[in-house]
């Protein structure tokens, strides 16, 4: 991926409906499931044109009006990836992230890429909220599950990220910037062996604004970017996680564009990643991610989704990215 920079204007693709009536929407969804067959188009039209808060109001209205659970009823009518995206849209965002993290560590194998994507892109508040919901939903702590499912310095990095303690101030100190750049060099390329803990401490705790300056100072000091250093000094999941942090610091929308491209590139589709990013970023910056995607890969996100998905699942995704 090239080093293009795309300013995050926080352009959503999904907005709250201006004239919103949760009772009317609940009734329309009930009607879409009654009788022979299901009116998938009605489901798409309603859920893709409401904000997450409004969709949760619809679920409450549905329970009040019919004494039934909307998500359970929809699960009974739908299947496959279309069902998965509909359920994701009707789940409170912190609960959805908690479920995605739980899925990443549950069962055989670990989805390190999902862990990295979520923990490296959420704010302090986001991480703490998700960790709270995780504890309530699964009766164990996120930190404990990550510790038991990961190892080595990657485990340490994950634990550090779950604390949600990054400096989020915009102030910068030139002396600290220089010291951090030198510390990263000494901990990696400037010495025999690598001191992983220095990279962990600086990349996890410093603000994005500060780190952008540190990376620039590092490049001036050494003659190449910090990514080159990380690729030389680290490997495996720790390398992927550190590179993800750097990419998010430099250009978060570019990072998500790359994740979407990887989810559809080659044989088969990583639908879990595709659904997660489109649903979770649709009310934040999916409009910016679309621009970055087309710039990087020469084709629109819409064209990739059209070529890689089908049926009502495809219709829903396309509606969400409009």
């Amino acid at each position: 991926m090239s080093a293009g920079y795309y300013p995050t204007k926080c352009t959503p693709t999904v907005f709250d409906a201006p004239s919103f009536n949760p009772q009317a929407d609940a009734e329309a969804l009930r009607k879409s499931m009654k009788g022979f067959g299901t009116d998938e188009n009605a489901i798409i039209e309603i859920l893709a044109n409401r904000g997450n808060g409004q969709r949760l109001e619809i679920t409450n209205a549905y329970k009040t009006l019919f004494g039934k659970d909307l998500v359970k009823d929809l699960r009974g009518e739908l299947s496959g990836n279309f069902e998965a995206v509909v359920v994701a849209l009707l789940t409170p965002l912190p609960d959805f992230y908690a479920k995605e993290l739980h899925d990443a560590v549950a069962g055989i194998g670990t989805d390190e890429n999902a862990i990295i994507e979520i923990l490296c892109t959420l704010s302090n508040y986001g991480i703490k909220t998700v960790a709270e919901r995780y504890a309530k939903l699964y009766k164990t702590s996120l930190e404990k599950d990550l510790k038991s499912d990961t190892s080595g310095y990657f485990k340490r990095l994950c634990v550090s990220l779950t604390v949600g303690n990054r400096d989020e101030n915009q102030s910068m100190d030139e002396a600290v910037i220089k010291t951090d750049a030198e510390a990263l060099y000494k901990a990696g390329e400037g010495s025999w062996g690598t001191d992983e803990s220095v990279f962990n401490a600086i990349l996890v705790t410093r603000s994005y604004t500060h780190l952008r300056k540190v990376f620039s100072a590092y490049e001036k000091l050494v003659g190449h970017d910090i990514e080159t250093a990380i690729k030389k000094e680290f490997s495996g999941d720790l390398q992927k996680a550190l590179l993800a942090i750097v990419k998010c610091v430099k250009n978060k929308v570019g990072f998500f564009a790359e994740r979407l491209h990887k989810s559809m590139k080659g044989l088969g589709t990583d639908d879990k990643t595709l659904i997660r990013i489109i649903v979770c970023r649709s009310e934040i910056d999916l409009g910016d991610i679309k621009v970055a995607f087309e710039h990087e890969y020469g084709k629109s996100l819409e064209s990739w989704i059209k070529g890689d998905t089908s049926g009502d699942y495809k219709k829903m995704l396309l509606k969400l990215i409009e």
Side-chain angles (χ1 to χ4, degrees):
M1 185 171 177
S2 70
Y5 177 74
Y6 316 98
T8 304
K9 299 169 188 169
C10 291
T11 314
T13 55
V14 172
F15 302 85
D16 279 348
S19 50
F20 174 58
N21 184 331
Q23 288 77 22
D25 283 348
E27 285 167 0
L29 286 169
R30 175 78 170 149
K31 188 182 172 188
S32 76
M33 293 181 275
K34 282 184 81 175
F36 187 72
T38 308
D39 185 353
E40 288 88 355
N41 288 331
I43 295 167
I44 292 166
E45 198 55 39
I46 293 168
L47 297 184
N49 288 297
R50 308 289 184 271
N52 189 255
Q54 291 182 332
R55 292 191 293 263
L56 299 179
E57 282 187 59
I58 295 167
T59 61
N60 287 334
Y62 191 92
K63 190 169 276 188
T64 303
L65 290 170
F66 309 112
K68 298 188 81 183
D69 186 286
L70 176 58
V71 174
K72 277 187 184 171
D73 280 1
L74 284 164
R75 278 189 187 278
E77 297 287 325
L78 312 175
S79 62
N81 289 318
F82 182 52
E83 177 193 340
V85 73
V86 165
V87 171
L89 287 166
L90 289 166
T91 306
L93 213 48
D95 290 29
F96 181 66
Y97 275 127
K99 182 189 175 297
E100 292 291 289
L101 286 167
H102 187 258
D103 288 353
V105 295
I108 298 166
T110 307
D111 186 351
E112 291 89 358
N113 289 326
I115 294 167
I116 291 164
E117 179 202 303
I118 295 168
L119 293 183
C120 292
T121 58
L122 287 174
S123 65
N124 291 344
Y125 175 76
I127 287 171
K128 285 171 180 170
T129 307
V130 169
E132 281 171 20
R133 292 305 302 154
Y134 193 99
K136 282 191 177 173
L137 290 167
Y138 302 108
K139 312 302 178 205
T140 183
S141 76
L142 174 59
E143 181 185 324
K144 186 180 173 187
D145 278 0
L146 285 168
K147 274 181 176 174
S148 65
D149 224 58
T150 57
S151 60
Y153 282 99
F154 177 59
K155 173 167 78 174
R156 292 191 198 180
L157 184 70
C158 288
V159 171
S160 296
L161 287 165
T162 59
V163 177
N165 205 20
R166 184 181 295 285
D167 177 8
E168 291 180 337
N169 295 318
Q170 298 302 308
S171 58
M172 288 177 289
D173 184 324
E174 291 300 329
V176 179
I177 288 164
K178 186 172 180 288
T179 303
D180 281 353
E182 288 169 354
L184 288 170
Y185 175 67
K186 284 173 189 165
E189 295 177 285
S191 67
W192 184 259
T194 309
D195 186 347
E196 293 88 351
S197 60
V198 172
F199 278 81
N200 191 94
I202 292 172
L203 295 184
V204 169
T205 62
R206 303 290 197 252
S207 74
Y208 277 20
T209 313
H210 176 88
L211 284 173
R212 276 193 278 273
K213 292 281 188 184
V214 171
F215 298 157
S216 179
Y218 189 94
E219 200 161 339
K220 282 175 189 164
L221 179 71
V222 184
H224 56 245
D225 62 26
I226 192 76
E227 289 99 324
T228 302
I230 290 169
K231 284 171 187 172
K232 279 165 69 177
E233 295 295 316
F234 301 94
S235 61
D237 296 322
L238 181 59
Q239 183 198 83
K240 281 195 284 188
L242 293 174
L243 286 173
I245 293 171
V246 171
K247 283 173 185 172
C248 288
V249 167
K250 287 186 170 185
N251 183 10
K252 194 177 275 190
V253 298
F255 170 76
F256 281 117
E258 185 179 25
R259 290 283 294 146
L260 285 170
H261 182 251
K262 280 182 179 171
S263 76
M264 295 181 279
K265 191 179 76 168
L267 216 59
T269 306
D270 178 358
D271 296 291
K272 206 160 174 49
T273 298
L274 188 58
I275 291 168
R276 180 173 61 247
I277 295 174
I278 287 178
V279 169
C280 294
R281 306 309 296 187
S282 62
E283 291 179 73
I284 303 167
D285 54 7
L286 191 52
D288 305 320
I289 294 166
K290 279 166 60 180
V291 172
F293 188 98
E294 188 158 1
H295 188 276
E296 285 296 332
Y297 305 109
K299 286 176 73 180
S300 68
L301 178 58
E302 180 187 33
S303 68
W304 273 77
I305 287 170
K306 277 181 179 173
D308 232 57
T309 60
S310 61
D312 296 310
Y313 173 47
K314 175 170 79 173
K315 284 187 204 170
M316 178 66 97
L317 292 181
L318 290 174
K319 197 78 179 166
L320 290 168
I321 69 164
E322 271 181 5

